[in-house]
Amino acid sequence: MSDEEGAERAGPGRPVPEEHVAARIKLEREVRGWSTVKLAEEMATAGHPINQSAIWRIESGKPRRRVNLDEALGFCKVFDITMHDLTGPPGELATPRVRQLAREYVEMTREYHQLRAAIDRNQMHLSEIDRELNAYADKGPERRGQVDELLRLEERALMRRMHPSRAHHRNQGQPPAGE
């Protein structure tokens, strides 16, 4: 193929999926707030090295640079998308801001579910502890008093550990114990 044929193939006569790939690479990069340098670094880390200027030529060159199969696989890996997504029309995926919001929503929902599971585990453990403390305290009023006093002492100790400066200020101006 002559240089002219190659330029024509990469330019206006380029197949539609290749135009989609170029637009999608730019869209995915911008959604992440990455520069072409950062994308080149991510591609190298993923085992598909490409330099920053090649990425710019793919996205904006006149004529645009073509993407080879190894690079396409690398972009899919780095952006966590399928080849179908890479070659499909990027306009179907809304604006970069809407895509960013969708990504944040999914990440925050995942985080919420993780926190909810931790809260549920904590609540189950608290119930087990409560049952054991009550079983001990139910054996008489003296034991109930012991449990209540231990809980008060532990709560005060926790507050001192959490806010040592407050405990220091509370103790200032008070006479030492025994005076």
Side-chain angles (χ1 to χ4, degrees):
M1 174 174 9
S2 72
D3 286 344
E4 280 182 16
E5 290 171 333
E8 172 61 26
R9 176 88 171 116
R14 158 184 214 166
V16 172
E18 288 187 21
E19 291 296 327
H20 292 172
V21 168
R24 184 62 183 263
I25 290 168
K26 185 173 185 174
L27 175 74
E28 293 291 337
R29 180 182 61 76
E30 288 176 345
V31 164
R32 288 164 177 77
W34 291 354
S35 65
T36 53
V37 172
K38 171 70 173 162
L39 178 53
E41 290 169 358
E42 292 293 326
M43 289 285 286
T45 300
H48 300 273
I50 184 172
N51 65 43
Q52 171 269 328
S53 64
I55 293 169
W56 183 88
R57 287 192 319 271
I58 290 166
E59 293 179 359
S60 308
K62 302 283 186 223
R64 288 187 178 182
R65 180 187 174 283
R66 297 183 75 186
V67 175
N68 68 40
L69 182 58
D70 182 65
E71 293 164 346
L73 292 170
F75 288 122
C76 289
K77 187 185 297 184
V78 166
F79 295 139
D80 193 25
I81 59 175
T82 66
M83 187 65 75
H84 177 76
D85 291 339
L86 181 67
T87 60
E92 295 175 2
L93 296 172
T95 66
R97 176 65 180 152
V98 171
R99 296 210 40 238
Q100 178 186 11
L101 290 171
R103 178 174 285 116
E104 286 178 28
Y105 181 87
V106 169
E107 288 172 1
M108 292 186 80
T109 300
R110 182 175 171 263
E111 183 179 341
Y112 168 82
H113 289 295
Q114 289 173 338
L115 290 171
R116 182 79 243 165
I119 289 168
D120 291 345
R121 285 189 304 273
N122 184 285
Q123 197 168 21
M124 282 179 31
H125 191 69
L126 280 172
S127 294
E128 292 169 10
I129 292 170
D130 190 51
R131 265 193 305 278
E132 284 189 53
L133 287 173
N134 282 325
Y136 177 83
D138 288 345
K139 294 184 179 172
E142 185 179 300
R143 286 187 175 191
R144 172 66 63 195
Q146 289 174 348
V147 169
D148 291 344
E149 183 61 22
L150 283 171
L151 290 173
R152 276 193 296 277
L153 290 171
E154 289 298 328
E155 284 177 357
R156 279 191 224 130
L158 177 63
M159 291 304 292
R160 282 192 300 273
R161 286 191 304 270
M162 289 175 56
H163 305 287
S165 62
R166 287 184 185 169
H168 174 72
H169 291 297
R170 275 195 307 262
N171 293 331
Q172 283 185 342
Q174 295 180 357
E179 283 188 18

